[in-house]
Amino acid sequence: MNDQADAKQQMKRLFGLFLFWFSWVLWTVPFALPFVVDSDVETIAVATAAVLVVAEVCFFTSLLLLGKPFYLAMKKRVNALWGTFKGKNRST
C-alpha cells in the first residue's frame, strides 16, 4: 500500500515538473510565432494570447502539484535574482 502512495506521489511530482518546464517553453513560442505562421495579424494575435493563457494555466497547475516547498524555493530564487537586477543583495 505504501509503494502505491509513493508511486502516486512520484508521478504527481514528475507531472508537476513537466508542466513547470512546459510553461516556460510555451512562453518562448510567441516570440517565434510571427515568423513561423504565415497568417494575418489577427490570427497571430489570437494564437499568441491562447498560448500565453495555456502557459499560465500550466504554470499555476504545476505549482499546485509541486506544493508549498517548491513555491517557497522558487520565490527565494526569484527574489534573489530580482535583487541583483535592482542592485540589492537580497539573498538572505
Side-chain angles (χ1 to χ4, degrees):
M1 185 69 173
N2 196 15
D3 290 338
Q4 287 179 344
D6 289 341
K8 186 176 180 180
Q9 194 71 8
Q10 182 70 14
M11 186 60 73
K12 182 178 160 183
R13 179 172 162 74
L14 285 174
F15 188 62
L17 288 172
F18 170 76
L19 284 177
F20 181 77
W21 288 111
F22 186 63
S23 70
W24 287 103
V25 170
L26 285 177
W27 267 98
T28 63
V29 170
F31 297 111
L33 202 58
F35 304 108
V36 175
V37 177
D38 187 26
S39 189
D40 57 343
V41 174
E42 293 85 9
T43 305
I44 292 173
V46 168
T48 299
V51 166
L52 292 178
V53 167
V54 170
E56 287 294 318
V57 169
C58 287
F59 180 76
F60 287 113
T61 304
S62 74
L63 288 182
L64 289 174
L65 288 172
L66 294 171
K68 192 172 182 178
F70 182 82
Y71 167 72
L72 293 175
M74 185 186 71
K75 183 178 170 184
K76 183 178 178 182
R77 288 185 184 214
V78 169
N79 282 340
L81 183 65
W82 185 251
T84 59
F85 287 142
K86 292 181 81 174
K88 300 176 184 174
N89 187 6
R90 294 184 56 178
S91 63
T92 58

